[in-house]
Each structure stands twice: as C-alpha cells, then as structure tokens.
Amino acid sequence: MPHARHPRRWTEIWTGARDSLPMLLGAAPFGIIFGTLAAPSGLSAGAALAMSLCVFAGSSQFIALTLLASGTGLAVILVTTLVVNLRHALYSATLLPHVAGLRQRWRIPLAFWLTDETFAVVQHRYGAPDRSPHKHYYYLGSCLAMYSNWFLWTLAGVMLGRSVPRLEHMGLEFAMAATFTGIVVPMLKNRPMLGAALGAAAVALAARGLPYKLGLMLAALAGVVIGVLLEQWQEAA
Amino acid sequence: MSGRELALIGGMAAVTFLVRYAFFALGERVAFPPVIQRSLRYVPVAVLTAIVVPMVLLPDGAHWQLNWHNAWLLGALVSGLIAWRFNHLLASIGGGMLVFFVYRWIVG
C-alpha cells in the first residue's frame, strides 16, 4: 500500500465537497433566481434546466437571460458568453501544472466543471504541503457538489416561478444588479480597477443605443484597455 | 425546447467548455503573454460594470432616472456600500434587495 498514509480517494472526494459547502449555500439564491427568471425572460423550463446542466456558468447564464429578455441575437449572446467566461482560461492556466499528468478522460470533465468556486478551493488543496496522489479526487468532489447543487436550485427556481404568476413584475431581476454590484465593488481596490470600471460604465452609457448590445462589448474593451494603460502608467511613474 | 433554445444552449456550452478546456487540452506548461494576463484581470470588472450601470441608471432601458424615486439606484448604492464596507457578497445582495423592495413598496 504505497499511498496508505495519504487520504483515500473517497476521503478526498468527500473533503472537496465539504470544503465547498459555503459556496454551495452562496450559489443557492442565484440558482433560484436564475430558474425563476427564466420563463419571464423567454426561456422555457426545460431550456433553463438544460442550460444549468450543459453550460454550468452562473454569471454567463444570468447575462444570457438579461440579453434574451431584451431581444438580443444569438451571436451577441455567444460573444458575451466568451468574454464573460474568459477568466476561466486564467484558472485553467493556473491549475494546468497539477492536471497535466492526468488522462484526457479526467481533464475533460474537470475542465467542464471548472468554476470560480471550485477554482478557489482546489487551488488551496493543491497548495497543501502533503504529496497525496489523489488531489484530483478532491477537485472532483468539489465539482460534483457544485454541479448537483446548481441543478437542484435551478429546478427549485423553475418550480417557484411556475407557482408564483406575474413574478416578472416583482422586480426580482434587481437581484442581478445587486449581485453584480456586490461582486464588482470589492474589486475596485486600486486606480487601474477603478478606472476600468468608470471607463466601462461611461462607454456603456454612451453607446447603449447601438444595436446587438455592441455597446456592451465596446464598454468591456474600453474598460480593459483603460485598466491596463493605468497599470502600466502607474508602474512607469 | 425550441430550435432557437437548442442553438443558444449548444453554443453557450461549446464556448464555455472551450474556454475552460483550452489549456487543459495542451497538457504542457504554457504561459500567457504578460499583456494578456494583465488584460484578463480587468474583464470581470469591465463587463459587470458595463451591464449594471445602465440597468440601474435607466431601469426602463430608455429614460434616465437620476433621482431618489429610483429604487434600482438606491438598492444598488446600498449593495455597493455593504460590499465596500464588509466585503460580504450575500449581505450585500440581501441588503440591497431589502432596500429595493421596501422602497418600492413605500413609494408604490
């Protein structure tokens, strides 16, 4: 038993799920809100559940709903999804050294299930000093917990949306504005970040009349460019 | 599920998976050029701000509401204040929503 002193596979899976618990609770309201808002935004119950199962990316699912509700076309939604999810490429680049030795049948599902939450706990586990060969089972445990959690809360939201008619007039979509505000504000810790936010806001407001939500893409681009320029300027100073 | 929904979900699933899998697929150590790495850090702030600011300042999508009758603005300000002061996401969402709904109920 060469690995006897290391946590067993099942222990790793269980610990990964357990360490994700706060984030399971945190994801619950978003799953409910997503499921509830699906129908008023023009997405059927089946499509909402399928989206949670096949896409499994909370923020882009929310944004897709917002864009759908305003009649945005498919291509713009897909480009927005790409931009919103680009940060996942950074996560996978960071985790790559730890999964590079795994077979594709591991790497494919672990990539599919990679979320902000799982990245946070798994990165912490890989940083632990023990040399357990089963850390990818911990990663798997976090993934399975987050995935089933997201699906179940989406289902709960879809059912809630059906039992409460005219939900779209209750202003629940404000939850999205509150969520995005709560995520963005703590990130505004320095001038480049603040500049990126202000620049993106200004361009989004100025270009809001453009078709296909092109203003959103321009605003994102402007924000990123301003942030990078300010950072370089700060370093040079 | 309609064909349009199928295309939407299929497309979003493909895009999301490819972004998550691209580097895992390579399986070797790869590094982003520093300028890309830098740029990606600003993406969440830029995109989320660009979505939320017009939502809050023009709740009906057409008319500026820069006044105290705007529950969206008030709720978002409270969310932002809680997030800034306590850095607690759920408290920030809950506090903002509470103010939003109470204010809408009072103002009618």
Side-chain angles (χ1 to χ4, degrees):
Chain A
M1 290 282 284
H3 302 314
R5 64 207 163 80
H6 296 303
R8 289 164 182 278
R9 292 176 175 86
W10 281 106
T11 314
E12 289 278 10
I13 290 179
W14 165 245
T15 319
R18 193 199 58 197
D19 290 354
S20 305
L21 185 64
M23 283 160 290
L24 297 180
L25 295 176
F30 305 126
I32 292 180
I33 295 163
F34 172 74
T36 316
L37 290 183
S41 308
L43 203 64
S44 68
L49 294 174
M51 196 183 272
S52 280
L53 280 181
C54 301
V55 181
F56 188 48
S59 48
S60 52
Q61 287 181 230
F62 266 103
I63 292 165
L65 277 193
T66 317
L67 295 178
L68 267 184
S70 65
T72 310
L74 180 65
V76 177
I77 296 181
L78 294 185
V79 173
T80 310
T81 302
L82 175 71
V83 173
V84 171
N85 285 333
L86 270 181
R87 68 187 189 284
H88 291 120
L90 263 191
Y91 301 161
S92 57
T94 311
L95 292 176
L96 181 58
H98 304 293
V99 303
L102 298 174
R103 290 169 191 222
Q104 289 294 345
R105 68 159 197 260
W106 270 97
R107 279 190 250 155
I108 289 171
L110 291 184
F112 172 78
W113 282 320
L114 183 56
T115 57
D116 306 85
E117 292 87 348
T118 289
F119 172 71
V121 293
V122 166
Q123 197 201 22
H124 187 253
R125 176 73 187 103
Y126 276 121
D130 69 294
R131 299 173 138 268
S132 164
H134 301 317
K135 287 184 181 181
H136 52 295
Y137 282 88
Y138 178 98
Y139 186 163
L140 179 67
S142 172
C143 290
L144 293 176
M146 291 298 300
Y147 190 56
S148 48
N149 185 65
W150 183 241
F151 177 76
L152 289 174
W153 289 117
T154 304
L155 183 63
V158 165
M159 282 156 58
L160 185 71
R162 286 188 159 184
S163 58
V164 185
R166 296 178 64 77
L167 210 57
E168 66 269 34
H169 298 300
M170 289 171 58
L172 257 184
E173 66 275 25
F174 175 76
M176 278 191 246
T179 306
F180 293 163
T181 306
I183 290 174
V184 164
V185 168
M187 295 169 90
L188 306 175
K189 277 179 292 203
N190 52 49
R191 279 182 192 176
M193 281 291 182
L194 201 59
L198 289 175
V203 173
L205 288 171
R208 70 180 191 282
L210 291 182
Y212 312 118
K213 293 265 170 190
L214 281 174
L216 179 58
M217 306 312 303
L218 282 180
L221 196 65
V224 167
V225 169
I226 291 171
V228 171
L229 287 180
L230 282 178
E231 192 182 326
Q232 281 172 348
W233 179 73
Q234 224 175 27
E235 277 173 7
Chain B
M1 223 186 320
S2 69
R4 186 179 141 74
E5 286 174 335
L6 214 60
L8 173 73
I9 293 166
M12 283 180 69
V15 164
T16 307
F17 177 71
L18 286 177
V19 169
R20 287 170 171 167
Y21 180 59
F23 288 96
F24 278 16
L26 297 174
E28 297 294 333
R29 275 163 198 270
V30 283
F32 283 106
V35 69
I36 300 292
Q37 211 161 350
R38 240 171 219 209
S39 304
L40 286 175
R41 283 210 306 272
Y42 293 97
V43 166
V45 162
V47 174
L48 296 181
T49 308
I51 289 171
V52 89
V53 168
M55 253 176 129
V56 164
L57 296 183
L58 302 92
D60 66 354
H63 303 94
W64 286 88
Q65 289 284 321
L66 271 173
N67 55 58
W68 293 112
H69 298 294
N70 183 353
W72 284 77
L73 180 58
L74 204 65
L77 284 176
V78 170
S79 279
L81 271 176
I82 297 174
W84 174 61
R85 179 69 184 80
F86 302 103
N87 195 9
H88 190 291
L89 181 57
L90 277 181
S92 147
I93 296 165
M97 287 184 74
L98 187 71
V99 167
F100 174 83
F101 284 113
V102 168
Y103 194 70
R104 260 172 52 128
W105 182 66
I106 291 171
V107 174

